Amino acid sequence: MAAKIGRTIGDSRPYWPPTPQRPKGAPNILVILFDDVGFSDFGCYGSPIATPTIDALAGRGLRYTGFHTTAMCSTTRAALLTGRNHHSVGVGCLANFDSGFPGYRGKIAREAGTVAEMLRPHGYRNYMLGKWHVMPLTETGGTGPFDGWPLGRGFDRFYGFLDAETDQYAPELVRDNTPVDPPGTFATGYHLTADLTDQAIRYLADHVADNAEAPWLMWFAPGACHAPHQAPFNLIAKYDAMFADGWDSERERRLARQIEMGVVPEGTRLPPRNDYVRPWAEVSESERRLYTRLQAAYAAMLDHADQNLARLIGFLEKAGQLDDTLILVLSDNGASQEGGPLGMVNAMGPYNLRRELLDEKIARVDDIGGPDTHSNFPLGWAMASNTPLRRYKQNTHGGGIRDPLVVAWGKGIAATGELRHQFCHACDVAPTLLEIVGVAPPATVNGVAQMPLEGTSFAGSLADPAAPSKAKPQYFEMFGHRGLVQDGWKAVCFHPPGNNFDHDKWELFHLDRDFNEVDDLAEREPARLKAMIDEWWRQAEASRVLPLDDRFGPRFAENAKRFHGHRKKFVFHAGMGHLPTDVAPDVRSRSYTIEADARIDGPTTEGVLIAHGDMTCGYSLYIKDSRLTYDLNVGGEHYLIVSERPVPAGNRRLGLRMRFRDNANHATLLIDGEPAGAMSTTVGFVSFISWSGLDIGRDRSSPVSHYEAPFTFTGRLRKVTMTMDDDQALDAEQAARATLARE
């Protein structure tokens, strides 16, 4: 009956709009999204790494062997969240830049609602924890805009990080729309994965306390196992012996287990080693110890994440929510090639052209996984992670795009421990969730007409092992690498940067008979290959893949220039919050001046005036022992200037003048405008400053220099001004490579 408002309550009739109700039989949904974990890395997919929690979920549910992603983090997340192809929604490549074309905005289009936005009208409460990275990083500052942040895309609560990666001991944390300090440090036993798990349990405990009958979606995306590979030292040590005989033996063992489990077919054989991977027999003893420890740190990070998942799953069971929860465990792409042939202990140095010599890395082997390292394993171990597939993350061969997917649901999946071999794709996940919940995709979201879903539900395969694979063609593209899967066949090409696209060599594989793409049929089936290439171009045009663009440096340089524009002056007033690195002053390969307006109360005054970065890389201007000090920390190597005289009491202008000439940095400390010490060095920020952001009056968590964080300034800091000269000589290609590794 319609509402009526009369002159008095007696001739009025009230109305209450209906409360959204859980669709009948709809489960809670928990998506556990790992980062850079290879096809074989879960125990239930052939790995010796301890993942008992994930293995137990597989044991009471399903493992998919034909699940595919998009080869990169941002892009897969966009496809998973929206149910559309990543180019179609504007995230065709990294979220780090906007190329000026519809498929490459770096931000999910409003016409592509997220699964959180699609489920919200049906009573779902939506919780996001961990890595986001589907928006331009130039929008992560205090002015946003916030429409691309998790709370702007359908999630009700968020605790995590917006960037591609973060330090696990000193993360760039955000709660809802506000940066926050980590609640602990390495010294106090803090680790981000444990913190995310604590917050996830809190969100669910709050949910149960307030309204246990309401359905919920939780998107749990830890940093594991993206670099930096950081985990408790006791866990790292336990894996040394396991991997001591190298990647070649490990690959063979994993394949044998996969065949025994049925994850891959009988007769599957290993492809030749990927390019630039040496036989383990040719690796020296000292290198073996280093490379084994780098792999041990990766394994320990995954083990540690699984231990924390046990706490989360245990809470669901305790709260009586487990059987009613659909759980997906997956990875966003294959294992990463970004550690290069030799691996890295602190990647920040090499990103800035400061080589990590082999002896230096070996000398630091016991530091690997700790707070002053940014480690990544070498190509050989990434190859083993992707067993038995070819290539890696970034590539459209199997090693980049074929990933594990575990699905468990006590009330909804009768099968236990079974395998599913259907081909399916990241963009198929959202349509599958909608079908399971029992709702149609909305025509509009927040008043914006929606583009159709492009993914296809594979919900039928939950009950039927013979359910058909995705019928329509599925394209792939990343940095010019291309692929198409159709009717059990795959056409794929590896694109060397700068190569003429028309000269790329396409390969053809019959996936139904050749699981891991080792028998190229291109010459035997030229007509089929041509038809699939033609179909790829049709799909590419329809999904906004074009124009193909393999440029690295120019795209990054253009984006940086467009964002910073003509701004050459930054004023940071006392009271400001943490500033993410991508919106901080860009001091790479250029001249600039820092000036802090501060009051010094006497010889006891000390602390940080401005700091950008962390233990692995960055810069800091501070007062210690009455001396003004500047630390240029490049990859953990410190270049310091200490003032020749104490800083006198009173109101002072304290600063640094950096002049970039002849590819060298010439730094001068300034006290009230007068020189107080100087140094020159050819080392500097060539392509990267830090993943950690900027603070004034303190160094938030992981100290850039030789003090204990936060080393808060004890005088009175009014403001810090940074002025950039217009002489930046950025190596765009090197900067692009560093940013690509960051993804």
Side-chain angles (χ1 to χ4, degrees):
M1 191 177 293
K4 177 184 175 184
I5 300 176
R7 290 191 172 186
T8 67
I9 190 67
D11 58 359
S12 301
R13 187 167 49 245
Y15 167 78
W16 291 272
T19 302
Q21 297 296 311
R22 178 196 292 255
K24 186 176 181 182
N28 305 314
I29 301 168
L30 172 60
V31 176
I32 301 167
L33 179 57
F34 280 90
D35 200 338
D36 290 3
V37 169
F39 179 76
S40 73
D41 275 330
F42 297 157
C44 53
Y45 280 80
S47 172
I49 300 170
T51 57
T53 308
I54 298 168
D55 299 347
L57 290 171
R60 62 184 193 84
L62 305 170
R63 283 167 293 162
Y64 282 77
T65 67
F67 175 67
H68 285 67
T69 56
T70 68
M72 290 293 275
C73 310
S74 300
T75 51
T76 292
R77 290 160 201 268
L80 287 169
L81 283 163
T82 66
R84 287 98 168 174
N85 288 309
H86 58 108
H87 294 87
S88 296
V89 305
V91 190
C93 192
L94 305 180
N96 302 58
F97 58 78
D98 178 350
S99 290
F101 298 102
Y104 299 92
R105 292 297 183 193
K107 186 175 184 178
I108 296 174
R110 304 306 301 183
E111 295 79 15
T114 68
V115 66
E117 290 172 316
M118 290 187 269
L119 290 177
R120 179 180 268 172
H122 304 283
Y124 276 79
R125 296 348 184 233
N126 302 315
Y127 309 117
M128 164 73 205
L129 298 112
K131 174 174 170 175
W132 183 238
H133 201 213
V134 284
M135 53 178 278
L137 298 179
T138 52
E139 296 187 2
T140 59
T143 61
F146 301 102
D147 60 339
W149 294 40
L151 267 60
R153 295 313 309 251
F155 288 95
D156 299 299
R157 301 177 78 174
F158 170 58
Y159 185 78
F161 57 102
L162 300 172
D163 206 336
E165 67 167 65
T166 195
D167 188 289
Q168 300 295 299
Y169 303 118
E172 294 283 285
L173 277 177
V174 172
R175 185 183 296 279
D176 298 331
N177 285 350
T178 304
V180 294
D181 290 354
T185 65
F186 174 78
T188 65
Y190 177 86
H191 192 284
L192 176 59
T193 301
D195 187 16
L196 293 174
T197 306
D198 290 343
Q199 294 299 319
I201 291 171
R202 174 181 174 171
Y203 284 177
L204 293 178
D206 288 350
H207 183 100
V208 170
D210 185 52
N211 187 355
E213 298 306 310
W216 50 263
L217 163 70
M218 176 169 283
W219 204 271
F220 186 85
C225 282
H226 196 295
H229 297 153
Q230 294 170 317
F233 284 134
N234 64 319
L235 276 183
I236 294 173
K238 107 176 189 183
Y239 282 103
D240 275 347
M242 181 177 290
F243 297 113
D245 57 355
W247 45 67
D248 290 328
S249 297
E250 180 60 26
R251 238 188 3 149
E252 292 170 0
R253 285 192 294 265
R254 291 194 186 197
L255 177 60
R257 284 192 289 267
Q258 289 173 326
I259 292 173
E260 182 181 353
M261 292 174 173
V263 169
V264 304
E266 284 279 354
T268 299
R269 63 190 191 278
L270 288 174
R273 293 180 197 87
N274 292 330
D275 296 341
Y276 309 112
V277 177
R278 285 182 289 166
W280 187 256
E282 296 179 7
V283 176
S284 70
E285 284 298 323
S286 55
E287 286 179 281
R288 288 183 182 188
R289 180 167 174 252
L290 169 66
Y291 300 155
T292 299
R293 181 61 59 85
L294 289 169
Q295 165 66 4
Y298 173 89
M301 194 178 193
L302 180 55
D303 183 335
H304 181 250
D306 187 88
Q307 291 181 33
N308 279 280
L309 286 184
R311 295 197 295 123
L312 180 56
I313 301 302
F315 175 81
L316 290 177
E317 190 165 25
K318 226 175 7 179
Q321 299 257 314
L322 183 58
D323 283 347
D324 237 356
T325 300
L326 171 67
I327 302 173
L328 286 75
V329 187
L330 61 156
S331 177
D332 60 0
N333 46 243
S336 167
Q337 61 181 293
E338 289 138 16
L342 306 177
M344 298 177 179
V345 176
N346 182 359
M348 301 297 100
Y351 292 164
N352 285 306
L353 301 184
R354 181 194 166 274
R355 290 183 58 205
E356 269 196 313
L357 299 176
L358 181 61
D359 288 346
E360 177 186 331
K361 289 191 283 191
I362 292 170
R364 296 202 65 203
V365 71
D366 290 329
D367 297 333
I368 290 171
D372 59 347
T373 66
H374 191 287
S375 70
N376 204 342
F377 57 14
L379 293 176
W381 286 118
M383 177 185 68
S385 288
N386 292 332
T387 302
L389 307 169
R390 296 170 58 196
R391 301 195 186 273
Y392 318 94
K393 170 187 174 182
Q394 301 182 24
N395 305 140
T396 51
H397 284 76
I401 61 174
R402 197 164 195 156
D403 289 284
L405 170 63
V406 171
V407 183
W409 179 17
K411 286 187 176 179
I413 299 177
T416 55
E418 293 186 6
L419 293 160
R420 293 291 185 266
H421 302 297
Q422 289 85 352
F423 171 82
C424 51
H425 186 266
C427 71
D428 302 327
V429 169
T432 301
L433 297 179
L434 293 178
E435 181 176 344
I436 290 170
V437 169
V439 300
T444 63
V445 170
N446 297 325
V448 179
Q450 296 292 285
M451 58 189 291
L453 297 187
E454 294 172 325
T456 303
S457 171
F458 55 89
S461 66
L462 299 183
D464 182 6
S469 288
K470 181 172 185 167
K472 61 184 180 181
Q474 178 61 55
Y475 81 88
F476 299 88
E477 189 278 334
M478 188 59 60
F479 304 123
H481 306 305
R482 286 159 283 167
L484 184 86
V485 172
Q486 183 177 19
D487 300 329
W489 290 79
K490 180 177 180 180
V492 62
C493 74
F494 176 86
H495 175 74
N499 202 46
N500 186 314
F501 289 107
D502 292 333
H503 296 166
D504 288 337
K505 182 182 183 297
W506 283 81
E507 299 169 289
L508 179 67
F509 302 103
H510 193 183
L511 292 182
D512 287 350
R513 300 178 184 174
D514 182 12
F515 181 92
N516 57 337
E517 307 167 22
V518 296
D519 187 12
D520 182 8
L521 303 176
E523 292 186 3
R524 282 170 274 178
E525 297 256 12
R528 183 187 298 274
L529 178 59
K530 182 181 183 305
M532 293 188 71
I533 295 172
D534 291 344
E535 181 61 34
W536 185 90
W537 285 104
R538 284 191 289 272
Q539 294 289 324
E541 185 172 4
S543 296
R544 300 178 176 175
V545 178
L546 307 180
L548 287 177
D549 188 355
D550 65 351
R551 300 171 308 145
F552 284 177
R555 285 200 278 180
F556 288 92
E558 289 164 7
N559 195 74
K561 185 176 181 181
R562 186 174 59 254
F563 173 70
H564 287 288
H566 299 290
R567 185 178 184 189
K568 297 296 183 289
K569 187 174 182 180
F570 296 77
V571 180
F572 304 128
H573 290 276
M576 68 167 272
H578 185 67
L579 194 67
T581 195
D582 282 85
V583 295
D586 180 4
V587 299
R588 297 172 297 170
S589 300
R590 75 183 320 159
S591 301
Y592 57 92
T593 303
I594 303 172
E595 184 173 85
D597 178 2
R599 187 187 71 209
I600 308 301
D601 295 324
T604 60
T605 299
E606 64 177 4
V608 169
L609 299 167
I610 183 170
H612 181 180
D614 55 33
M615 294 176 76
T616 66
C617 206
Y619 64 87
S620 180
L621 182 67
Y622 58 97
I623 297 175
K624 187 177 183 182
D625 300 327
S626 297
R627 305 279 173 156
L628 182 63
T629 305
Y630 174 75
D631 189 342
L632 176 69
N633 173 354
V634 179
E637 186 168 342
H638 298 263
Y639 301 83
L640 284 99
I641 325 173
V642 179
S643 65
E644 300 160 347
R645 58 186 184 274
V647 179
N651 293 321
R652 298 289 168 225
R653 292 181 294 115
L654 307 173
L656 175 94
R657 182 173 62 233
M658 181 71 75
R659 292 294 172 259
F660 183 68
R661 296 190 301 269
D662 302 322
N663 290 318
N665 294 287
H666 307 276
T668 304
L669 288 175
L670 302 171
I671 299 177
D672 292 330
E674 296 298 320
M679 74 167 182
S680 296
T681 176
T682 56
V683 176
F685 304 121
V686 177
S687 62
F688 199 66
I689 302 167
S690 178
W691 271 281
S692 299
L694 179 149
D695 290 280
I696 66 166
R698 63 177 192 147
D699 189 349
R700 193 177 60 112
S701 183
S702 172
V704 172
S705 193
H706 306 300
Y707 46 72
E708 186 175 335
F711 200 39
T712 302
F713 184 62
T714 58
R716 181 182 177 192
L717 180 63
R718 300 178 183 88
K719 66 181 179 179
V720 178
T721 303
M722 291 190 69
T723 306
M724 312 286 113
D725 287 20
D726 196 14
D727 64 349
Q728 188 173 43
L730 191 63
D731 182 337
E733 292 295 336
Q734 181 63 24
R737 283 191 288 272
T739 305
L740 181 59
R742 170 188 189 178
E743 161 73 11

